[in-house]
Amino acid sequence: MSGPVSAHLHSVIRYTTDATRGQPLASRVLARKDELEHALADLGPDDGLLRVAIETALATVTALMTGDLAHPSAVISLDLSRWLERRKLLAQDITRAQRAAGDEVHAIGGSLGRERLGVP
């Protein structure tokens, strides 16, 4: 065997759930919910299983988002935190592609380019 092998990761994997740590729970949940809604809209006709998984996750979080999200009860807070952790990897390949497209749009035209492509 030769010496130690060194490997470098060329791309940084960002999960919305991890990237929003430190922000209020409601903001984190809404950001992830928005990300899943966009991923759902981008699914093709052959993505049936992923579509069901995303729709189930969205239905679950919608049911949890009752009352005052800024001041949820301890039980709802716990359930929302669990929802975030359990769904953080769901549809990440789609959401990473969306972020990459957003970065590309920003690089080629800023807000003008975003408006033309329909990206908020």
Side-chain angles (χ1 to χ4, degrees), residues 100-120:
D103 291 345
E104 184 177 309
V105 167
H106 181 68
I108 62 171
S111 62
L112 180 59
R114 290 176 202 235
E115 290 174 14
R116 288 182 186 157
L117 293 175
V119 177

Side-chain angles (χ1 to χ4, degrees), residues 21-100:
R21 287 204 191 278
Q23 295 180 10
L25 180 60
S27 298
R28 297 177 68 211
V29 168
L30 291 173
R32 184 64 178 135
K33 180 179 178 282
D34 185 52
E35 189 175 56
L36 288 175
E37 288 170 344
H38 282 96
L40 184 62
D42 287 348
L43 288 179
D46 297 331
D47 296 320
L49 188 58
L50 184 55
R51 180 177 301 281
V52 170
I54 294 173
E55 287 173 345
T56 302
L58 290 171
T60 301
V61 78
T62 300
L64 291 171
M65 296 171 61
T66 59
D68 184 7
L69 268 184
H71 304 96
S73 69
V75 172
I76 296 296
S77 293
L78 180 62
D79 286 343
L80 288 171
S81 292
R82 286 181 180 160
W83 181 87
L84 278 173
E85 283 301 313
R86 290 180 181 158
R87 276 51 176 212
K88 77 178 181 180
L89 300 178
L90 180 60
Q92 281 301 307
D93 54 336
I94 297 170
T95 56
R96 274 197 299 269
Q98 290 170 343
R99 280 195 299 273

